[in-house]
Amino acid sequence: MGFDVIIRGGRWFDGTGAPSAIRTLGIKDGKVAAVSAADLPAEGARVVDASGKWVMPGFIDIHTHYDVEALAAPGLGESVRHGVTTVVFGSCSLGTVHVEPLDAADLFSRVEAVPREHVLSILGRHRDTWGSAAEYIAALEDRPLGPNVTAFLGHSDLRAAVMGLGRSTDAKAAPTGAELRRMELLLVDALRAGMIGMSEMRNPWDKLDGDRYRSRTLPSTFGTRAERRRLYRILRSSGRVLQSIPNLNLPVSLIPALLASIGRGGTKPLKTSYLTAADVKANPFLMHIMGPLARAVNRLGGDFRWQHLPVPFQVFADGIDLVVFEEFGAGAAALHLKDEVERNALLQDEAYRRRFRREYENRWTPRVWHRDLYDAHIVDCPDASAVGRTFGQVGDERGVHPVDAFLDLVVEHGPKVRWHTTISNHRPQALNHLSSLPEVQMGFSDAGAHLRNMAFYNFPLRLLRRAHHEGFMTIERAVHRLTGELGSWYGLDAGFLREGDRADLVIVDPDHLGPELDQAQEAPVEAFGGLRRMVNRNDATVVATFVAGTRIFGAGEYAPELGRRRTGRFLRAGEPRGTVDPRTLPGPAAIVG
């Protein structure tokens, strides 16, 4: 047999968690055609020397917001350069399957910090090419996708399209019987087209952008009990996944959500993936109940998982523009105002400041952000004396409360005050504990969103580094957690690297799993008008990334094919193993644009 690509002499991990071994892989027509302890004939093949390297299935990122970027820059280079070969979007109830561009901009821009004008522009160019879930998938596959993609149908997308954005975010407006039936039909249509499930939102901290319904919570938060029950019934019967987020203002609401996962009276369990398992600074005891809660539900017949980002959750902010301020009334009031003059007038008002200080100091309200301005470090500011200090330290030097120091700097310099803090996963042993729990899934990178706030594109590499250097789990198990475990649970043909599997893989140099993985940099996003977003750059770690047998990244450079020829495809739930779309293989017919 002739091969297209030979990957010679690397330590091969198949994604199942089985012991690794030194093997040579032969790739033909987009699939792994041979895994051999002996050498393979290389005549006519592209040969990659993987000696001393790890060869493993491409990583799966189960939580991204690439919905808009996948249309404008479908190579999704920031993910593939870190070995990610499959991404999931349609997360957190959001999506672009059914809503029109203006509604999509209102849904996405404030919640996910994706520039509003680019959401409108990009969807304005593409939205008229689909009218159904199947046509949406076809439109994605008409773009030169780099990695494979798949998606949830967002409940906010669904609800807003059926009811209208105004009625769908009005607590007094319940869906009519006809509207409920329409939602059911659209969900069935999406699942038949191959989508992996539905995402919803229960947390009221996520707000709409725009002028029409600004600061209303997302449509999914208004979902009625009957509405959810009817949609869940469809997910249950099809064996598809519900992705959800709890109401963080009312933690007790998690109990019925957990119970909803349990199958009753012969019905299937509702496969449920919930955000998020984390060692939160604001509540260090929370992490200890996540595993037992999920275990209890699963023993009663549920199929429940937490999503978990296996790295410290460090966020950056420009001024007050950060989603954590939506947690409390004073912060949300500031973010409600788009006009800088109006916002500054509010921030200078003493009555407002008293409210801000009171809510900042209230330790009894539900929270994700620790609200400790002594743990918020200024990295850039026109006032050079503030750089390198925390807002608390600046307040001490000026003789004012930390909140006043923060608000003074924001009024004086606006978004030019750049700062960072770590919200969760800051304790190494706690992080290792969470990463080891079978009830949690690796993911929640939020890739494609919060472009100025965080960069977790390389989280799989950072988990591998901890497993390699700390030994808290085997490398085989770490690879399985990032690949095959996720592919199997979500019903995707992804995450494995055995004979007959599609050749989506990454080659990693274990000698470069070092501290450079923790660094974040900035790079322009051409699709978003040159906006500088936070990225990871550790190009010596990833020797090469292949999708369907085509090398799309390596040696610190993207291959010419990336973003010009489609190598990835939309992975439909339940497809047979080793499915390869012939249009993703090299040849003139594969060039798209």
Side-chain angles (χ1 to χ4, degrees):
M1 174 186 289
F3 298 103
D4 301 320
V5 178
I6 297 287
I7 299 176
R8 180 176 287 158
R11 178 161 292 279
W12 162 69
F13 300 79
D14 68 1
T16 69
S20 59
I22 304 299
R23 293 290 185 267
T24 292
L25 277 62
I27 298 171
K28 179 73 173 177
D29 295 333
K31 292 186 182 183
V32 179
V35 177
S36 175
D39 203 2
L40 294 171
E43 184 177 355
R46 176 178 189 168
V47 178
V48 178
D49 181 6
S51 302
K53 310 299 190 294
W54 295 344
V55 181
M56 60 189 67
F59 306 126
I60 301 173
D61 190 342
I62 61 171
H63 189 115
T64 81
H65 291 282
Y66 274 135
D67 308 69
V68 176
E69 190 172 338
L71 295 167
L76 301 181
E78 292 304 332
S79 286
V80 300
R81 76 185 302 141
H82 300 294
V84 174
T85 57
T86 298
V87 301
V88 179
F89 43 83
S91 305
C92 300
S93 85
L94 303 174
T96 60
V97 180
H98 294 297
V99 292
E100 295 301 317
L102 183 59
D103 288 346
D106 285 355
L107 288 167
F108 268 93
S109 302
R110 181 165 166 184
V111 173
E112 302 302 341
V114 181
R116 177 182 176 78
E117 66 273 21
H118 298 298
V119 176
L120 284 167
S121 172
I122 292 165
L123 286 177
R125 296 197 301 272
H126 295 283
R127 178 61 185 85
D128 61 357
T129 62
W130 68 83
S132 67
E135 290 172 354
Y136 170 74
I137 291 170
L140 286 172
E141 291 195 320
D142 279 342
R143 308 297 298 144
L145 295 171
N148 303 303
V149 304
T150 191
F152 292 101
L153 179 64
H155 185 218
S156 286
D157 172 29
L158 179 65
R159 200 170 204 268
V162 170
M163 298 177 65
L165 187 58
R167 285 187 62 243
S168 72
T169 56
D170 182 349
K172 297 178 181 178
T176 65
E179 287 169 337
L180 285 172
R181 183 59 181 156
R182 179 64 177 155
M183 288 186 214
E184 288 179 308
L185 292 173
L186 290 176
L187 178 57
V188 169
D189 178 62
L191 300 183
R192 285 177 176 168
M195 288 189 163
I196 60 174
M198 185 184 81
S199 67
E200 67 173 10
M201 171 63 70
R202 292 175 177 262
N203 184 29
W205 296 348
D206 290 339
K207 310 286 178 58
L208 295 181
D209 199 6
D211 298 317
R212 298 174 300 163
Y213 312 109
R214 187 171 182 82
S215 295
R216 291 188 186 183
T217 59
L218 293 182
S220 185
T221 64
F222 295 89
T224 66
R225 186 175 301 174
E227 176 183 342
R228 293 184 193 276
R229 186 168 55 246
R230 290 173 67 160
L231 297 174
Y232 291 177
R233 187 181 301 127
I234 294 168
L235 294 173
R236 251 184 230 282
S237 63
S238 62
R240 301 295 172 83
V241 176
L242 171 71
Q243 183 211 71
S244 190
I245 304 174
N247 181 340
L248 297 175
N249 280 344
L250 192 64
V252 72
S253 67
L254 181 60
I255 295 173
L258 287 165
L259 295 177
S261 176
I262 299 171
R264 302 181 192 86
T267 62
K268 295 180 181 179
L270 176 61
K271 295 183 76 170
T272 306
S273 178
Y274 243 74
L275 276 67
T276 177
D279 177 25
V280 181
K281 282 186 177 181
N283 188 347
F285 303 105
L286 186 62
M287 61 166 283
H288 297 290
I289 67 172
M290 290 177 169
L293 271 177
R295 274 194 297 278
V297 167
N298 292 339
R299 285 171 182 164
L300 291 171
D303 195 353
F304 185 92
R305 301 292 186 277
W306 296 104
Q307 291 187 15
H308 167 62
L309 182 69
V311 301
F313 198 91
Q314 184 183 49
V315 296
F316 286 71
D318 299 315
I320 201 170
D321 291 307
L322 186 65
V323 70
V324 297
F325 289 101
E326 304 277 17
E327 292 182 357
F328 58 101
L335 295 179
H336 175 75
L337 299 173
K338 293 190 296 183
D339 181 80
E340 186 176 356
V341 174
E342 289 184 23
R343 181 183 285 185
N344 283 345
L346 177 69
L347 299 184
Q348 293 178 84
D349 181 76
E350 183 52 37
Y352 170 81
R353 289 192 171 208
R354 284 197 300 271
R355 177 189 178 193
F356 198 117
R357 290 192 295 266
R358 184 174 62 253
E359 294 175 356
Y360 165 85
E361 292 173 343
N362 186 344
R363 302 300 177 186
W364 301 105
T365 55
R367 66 182 63 203
V368 171
W369 178 35
H370 49 73
R371 300 183 199 169
D372 180 1
L373 290 172
Y374 286 93
D375 189 10
H377 303 264
I378 302 166
V379 295
D380 195 16
C381 181
D383 180 354
S385 68
V387 176
R389 290 174 166 81
T390 69
F391 291 107
Q393 290 170 332
V394 171
D396 290 343
E397 292 169 2
R398 296 184 177 184
V400 298
H401 193 281
V403 164
D404 292 295
F406 170 71
L407 295 177
D408 286 344
L409 286 171
V410 171
V411 169
E412 292 169 23
H413 306 295
K416 293 181 180 179
V417 182
R418 187 155 174 81
W419 55 281
H420 73 85
T421 189
T422 299
I423 290 175
S424 63
N425 296 344
H426 53 294
R427 298 183 295 180
Q429 293 306 312
L431 186 57
N432 287 349
H433 170 74
L434 286 172
S435 299
S436 300
L437 290 175
E439 298 82 16
V440 307
Q441 297 176 330
M442 301 301 107
F444 190 44
S445 77
D446 256 2
H450 306 290
L451 304 177
R452 293 282 301 156
N453 305 131
M454 55 199 192
F456 302 125
Y457 298 97
N458 69 351
F459 76 88
L461 300 174
R462 294 169 74 177
L463 178 66
L464 289 178
R465 181 188 64 187
R466 286 172 35 230
H468 183 43
H469 292 299
E470 300 174 29
F472 76 101
M473 71 168 63
T474 66
I475 306 301
E476 286 84 354
R477 184 168 183 238
V479 171
H480 175 61
R481 303 226 71 192
L482 295 163
T483 58
E485 178 182 302
L486 301 172
S488 293
W489 197 81
Y490 284 90
L492 297 172
D493 177 33
F496 297 101
L497 193 63
R498 307 156 299 186
E499 289 187 11
D501 288 318
R502 193 176 51 253
D504 304 331
L505 63 95
V506 57
I507 305 173
V508 171
D509 186 345
D511 292 337
H512 286 91
L513 291 170
E516 67 275 11
L517 299 183
D518 298 326
Q519 298 171 5
Q521 303 178 31
E522 293 184 7
V525 191
E526 183 178 343
F528 294 153
L531 171 76
R532 296 189 66 81
R533 73 161 148 202
M534 297 187 64
V535 299
N536 308 114
R537 288 291 182 270
N538 32 257
D539 292 339
T541 310
V542 175
V543 175
T545 302
F546 285 76
V547 174
T550 296
R551 178 182 175 276
I552 57 175
F553 177 80
E557 295 183 351
Y558 297 120
E561 289 93 337
L562 188 72
R564 294 190 63 247
R565 175 171 78 77
R566 182 161 73 86
T567 52
R569 56 188 298 272
F570 191 96
L571 301 186
R572 294 156 179 84
E575 286 181 312
R577 177 184 166 202
T579 301
V580 175
D581 184 340
R583 296 174 297 170
T584 64
L585 301 178
I591 299 294
V592 295

